[in-house]
Amino acid sequence: MSDDNAPQPSVAPTRPPTKSASAKSAPPKPASRGARQTATYLSKRLTAAGLRPVSKYGQNFLIDLNLVELIARSADIGPHDIVLEIGTGVGSLTSIMAQQAGAILTVEIDQNLYQLASEELAPFPHVKMIQGDALKNKSTFRDDIMESIRDAKSRLPDDSKFMLVANLPYNVATPIVSNLLHQTPPPDRIVVTIQKELGERMVAGPGSKDYGALSVWVQATCKAEIVRILPPSVFWPRPKVESAIVRLDVDHERRSAIPDLNYFHQTVRALFFHRRKFLRSVTISAMKGRLDKPTIDEILSRLGHGETARTEELTLEQISELVEALRQAELNQL
């Protein structure tokens, strides 16, 4: 991870340039980028700068402009909305969104790509860039990123929305999405390109092979859908797996109904650590040193979970009831 955590300028909400702007300052039209957003164009541009994709950063550029535009279109970005983008790349998606959003904060870990994207995004004063890692560690966003988001949101109209819209690097997709759902303010919407397998886990239901802690965490706070499955051929370099555009609409009422988000998330992860074992054994393991076996047995019996019940078979509502019962039992011991 980068150690570049120096304070960055806050995002300044500014209306995108209008059609009446001079030719010199007017933003390029999406259509004008069609011939450029290709493997050949990207290869030549990076080569000219003495660069090549860096695998450790999960760099796979989306080279189908129609799909780049689909990502932006799926987010329904409005003129008062603030967008966070993780993985600026060469700024292709950023440039399209800049013609729609009130403010954009885009983060790029690769210093060389940061410089290239800076040239592409120069016409947009309401786009601010940060060079570095979006995560302070695996469980926390960098403080200056969320501070910039909060500052921009405070200066935008009350009906403004905060969104994460990005072609996410595969190696940080799970921590980015999971951690952002903890943040204040939480996003109103997330539209991201991620591994197909990860997208399927987010929308999976009880009893399926993909159902797990991520499924429960996402669905407990969001309405989730897969917008489009993408083949490797639409990326450069080609990844070894299929990808998916996923849209998550945060249900603020559902999210606020969870008494303790951190407790819920951590407990769900513990309950699914051995997802195919019997529920009683995984619950005892998850609550070791916190609740004794008789208390756990009483909770499971009260909630109607028999000896052969397994975590992977429980519905979202059943898991929520169980986690809250465990939390209350812990509080009663204080």
Side-chain angles (χ1 to χ4, degrees), residues 270 273-274 279-290 296:
F273 192 73
H274 297 291
L279 179 61
R280 180 178 182 271
S281 65
V282 297
T283 306
I284 290 173
S285 177
M287 306 307 294
K288 186 176 181 179
R290 296 155 60 186
I296 291 172

Side-chain angles (χ1 to χ4, degrees), residues 143-162:
D143 294 335
D144 58 322
I145 290 177
M146 294 311 301
E147 287 172 4
S148 292
I149 295 295
R150 286 189 287 269
D151 177 69
K153 193 166 177 61
S154 70
R155 293 186 281 123
L156 286 164
D158 291 341
D159 63 349
S160 66
K161 292 182 174 63
F162 164 41

Side-chain angles (χ1 to χ4, degrees), residues 240-281:
K240 297 179 180 179
V241 296
E242 290 184 304
S243 303
I245 300 173
V246 174
R247 172 167 164 162
L248 309 179
D249 286 283
V250 173
D251 188 324
H252 294 282
E253 183 176 350
R254 187 188 302 174
R255 182 180 183 273
S256 63
I258 300 175
D260 188 324
L261 283 172
N262 287 331
Y263 185 95
F264 179 86
H265 192 197
Q266 292 170 5
T267 305
V268 167
R269 291 178 65 186
L271 291 175
F272 275 92
F273 192 73
H274 297 291
R275 60 195 296 271
R276 289 183 172 83
K277 288 187 176 181
F278 291 127
L279 179 61
R280 180 178 182 271
S281 65

